[in-house]
Amino acid sequence: MNFHEYQAKQLFADYGIAVPKGIVARTPDEAVAAAKQIPGDLWVVKAQIHAGGRGKAGGVKLAKSHDEVHAIAKTLLGTKMATYQTAGVELPIDSVLVCEGTDIDKELYLSVLVDRDSRAITFIASAEGGMDIEQVAQEKPEAIHTLNVDFVEGLQAYQCRDLGFAMGLNAKQTNQLSVIMTGLYKLFNEKDLALVELNPLAILTDGNLAVLDGKINSDDNASFRHKDLVEMRDVRQEDPTEVKASQYDLNYVTMDGNIGCMVNGAGLAMATMDVISLNGGSPANFLDVGGGANKEKVTEAFKLILSSDKVKAIFVNIFGGIVRCDMIAEGIIAAVKEVGVKVPVIVRLEGTNVEEGKAMLRDSGLAITPADDINDGAKKAVAAASAA
Ligand code: ADP
Ligand code: MG
């Protein structure tokens, strides 16, 4: 799950990390009221969307008066914004963050993530801020510093100091960095996060470090024990089909092809997408209905696939281990009857109660093409989609 910048900064503050004063606003008048509470004569009005790259897209603007704050908030609020990070999708700007404007001397980069190779929570830092970290990694890999934290020992003070000095910070800034890193490490662990990114972490002209942007991504598998985080979810920033899927506990990811897939098990779902591609087709989605799928879940899954008009054929590929083939068949029949199906449906069933399942589909009177195995099913689905 992703968070807005203002939510990330609130979490940072909760963990003892100093953030510049900022107040979220949902109308231009609220933005002015916010600016009045923030001392100084320079403000930054920032579009709150679940993506970075807002600066380049015109979503981060400096204001020198309350009137300017009003005008900027008015042009941003209620519109939609795409950035180089949104893959062509436009996200709604429902709120803006009004921040204290700061004088920046230099921009740094700091992130925390789980590094699978070293199996450790890892800090990544670079003194080359103001630039995409991916670009730094390619063009100047020596400028990127990584620090693996030993899971048992935890983050050590000397490690923070090492990182500060590696980035060329002075002693005072290194102390400030240590406070930030200690807070981030605690936050990361206690809230089961997957990624925290400060880009930029700035050195101000007065020599102090300041957290100017914050991005947080949490691990959905741990959502059940973080009700406070779940309450911060903003579904308006998410793909509507994926939101619907999550309500039924389905693993669904929208893709850009035209063959809808309904599969049980993430491994089989990946394999199904591969075999579709091998046969010259392209999947419209990844969908794992899970091992414990019931009839209702299967019905909802089928409805989700059918809700896209991009889908020209559906390939159901089920290996019934825990999940029973007759129950899958029941779900398919219920969904097709409820929604009405206008595209060819190719079904490969194997495993527990497969004969009952196949018989139910045969007797349903619905136009369903049976397939012998994954290759046969993928071939038939690709042929059906390209004939459409
Ligand atoms: P994004 O990453 O989405 O582009 P940022 O929050 O990083 O958004 O803002 C983009 C740029 O705007 C930053 O790199 C920084 O130069 C500037 N900026 C952001 N916040 C402030 C602030 N409070 N004061 C001054 N400049 C800021
Ligand atoms: Mg940024």
Side-chain angles (χ1 to χ4, degrees):
M1 181 183 141
N2 287 313
F3 296 79
H4 283 296
E5 175 193 359
Y6 77 90
Q7 296 168 326
K9 285 178 167 172
Q10 182 57 54
L11 287 164
F12 297 159
D14 292 347
Y15 279 79
I17 298 166
V19 288
K21 204 161 178 312
I23 298 170
V24 71
R26 295 180 188 276
T27 64
D29 287 342
E30 274 181 33
V32 171
K36 284 181 179 163
Q37 289 183 58
I38 299 169
D41 50 14
L42 185 65
W43 299 272
V44 184
V45 183
K46 310 178 80 175
Q48 297 299 287
I49 54 171
H50 280 186
R54 296 164 301 166
K56 282 177 199 148
V60 177
K61 293 234 159 80
L62 282 173
K64 295 199 180 78
S65 67
H66 292 159
D67 285 347
E68 267 184 49
V69 169
H70 191 280
I72 295 166
K74 200 171 164 193
T75 54
L76 291 176
L77 286 164
T79 63
K80 290 187 167 191
M81 173 165 284
T83 77
Y84 75 92
Q85 290 189 1
T86 62
V89 178
E90 291 196 311
L91 299 173
I93 306 176
D94 296 326
S95 61
V96 292
L97 180 63
V98 182
C99 289
E100 179 185 340
T102 52
D103 286 324
I104 303 168
D105 182 30
K106 194 171 186 319
E107 301 198 353
L108 317 173
Y109 174 95
L110 179 69
S111 64
V112 194
L113 45 82
V114 181
D115 176 36
R116 285 157 201 265
D117 285 342
S118 56
R119 301 190 191 100
I121 292 178
T122 298
F123 282 83
I124 296 179
S126 162
E128 307 283 324
M131 205 168 137
D132 305 331
I133 193 71
E134 290 85 357
Q135 201 183 337
V136 181
Q138 258 188 358
E139 292 170 11
K140 232 179 146 188
E142 70 281 3
I144 292 186
H145 310 282
T146 53
L147 184 173
N148 295 327
V149 183
D150 183 286
F151 186 71
V152 177
E153 289 174 0
L155 180 66
Q156 302 292 304
Y158 79 87
Q159 293 183 300
C160 302
R161 286 195 295 272
D162 277 355
L163 198 64
F165 293 136
M167 281 201 289
L169 302 186
N170 63 30
K172 182 179 156 203
Q173 292 158 351
T174 299
N175 280 338
Q176 292 176 344
L177 179 74
S178 301
V179 174
I180 293 170
M181 289 175 68
T182 306
L184 289 183
Y185 184 69
K186 194 157 186 269
L187 169 69
F188 196 94
N189 271 314
E190 289 186 5
K191 299 290 183 193
D192 292 309
L193 304 184
L195 172 76
V196 179
E197 195 177 55
L198 311 185
N199 190 20
L201 170 65
I203 303 177
L204 303 182
T205 46
D206 65 8
N208 289 309
L209 287 189
V211 176
L212 294 193
D213 189 15
K215 173 184 176 149
I216 291 183
N217 180 239
S218 70
D219 184 345
D220 292 339
N221 294 306
S223 291
F224 72 95
R225 57 182 184 193
H226 298 294
K227 300 269 182 298
D228 55 332
L229 296 187
V230 173
E231 273 171 21
M232 294 186 196
R233 183 169 173 195
D234 180 359
V235 292
R236 283 184 37 91
Q237 300 288 324
E238 298 177 24
D239 178 299
T241 313
E242 290 177 20
V243 171
K244 198 122 197 268
S246 72
Q247 285 164 358
Y248 291 95
D249 217 11
L250 296 162
N251 281 319
Y252 183 99
V253 182
T254 304
M255 313 277 294
D256 51 15
N258 61 4
I259 299 175
C261 302
M262 187 168 92
V263 190
N264 66 324
L268 188 59
M270 296 297 279
T272 303
M273 289 165 58
D274 282 349
V275 178
I276 287 173
S277 299
L278 269 177
N279 283 285
S282 71
N285 65 280
F286 167 95
L287 170 60
D288 167 16
V289 292
N294 53 22
K295 181 185 150 200
E296 194 205 10
K297 250 171 118 167
V298 171
T299 310
E300 288 308 321
F302 218 76
K303 276 163 50 181
L304 278 180
I305 296 173
L306 286 171
S307 69
S308 161
D309 49 16
K310 274 199 311 198
V311 172
K312 301 291 176 237
I314 296 174
F315 181 22
V316 179
N317 187 17
I318 299 286
F319 185 85
I322 303 169
V323 71
R324 299 182 343 256
C325 293
D326 55 327
M327 198 229 30
I328 294 284
E330 217 183 326
I332 296 172
I333 294 166
V336 171
K337 281 192 177 147
E338 205 176 312
V339 191
V341 68
K342 292 154 209 84
V343 298
V345 180
I346 294 90
V347 179
R348 180 253 178 157
L349 288 178
E350 204 59 76
T352 310
N353 292 0
V354 62
E355 291 314 326
E356 288 93 322
K358 281 183 173 167
M360 285 166 72
L361 291 177
R362 234 183 357 253
D363 300 342
S364 68
L366 300 169
I368 289 170
T369 310
D372 300 330
D373 56 34
I374 186 171
N375 281 310
D376 183 46
K379 265 190 204 118
K380 285 174 174 163
V382 173
S386 44

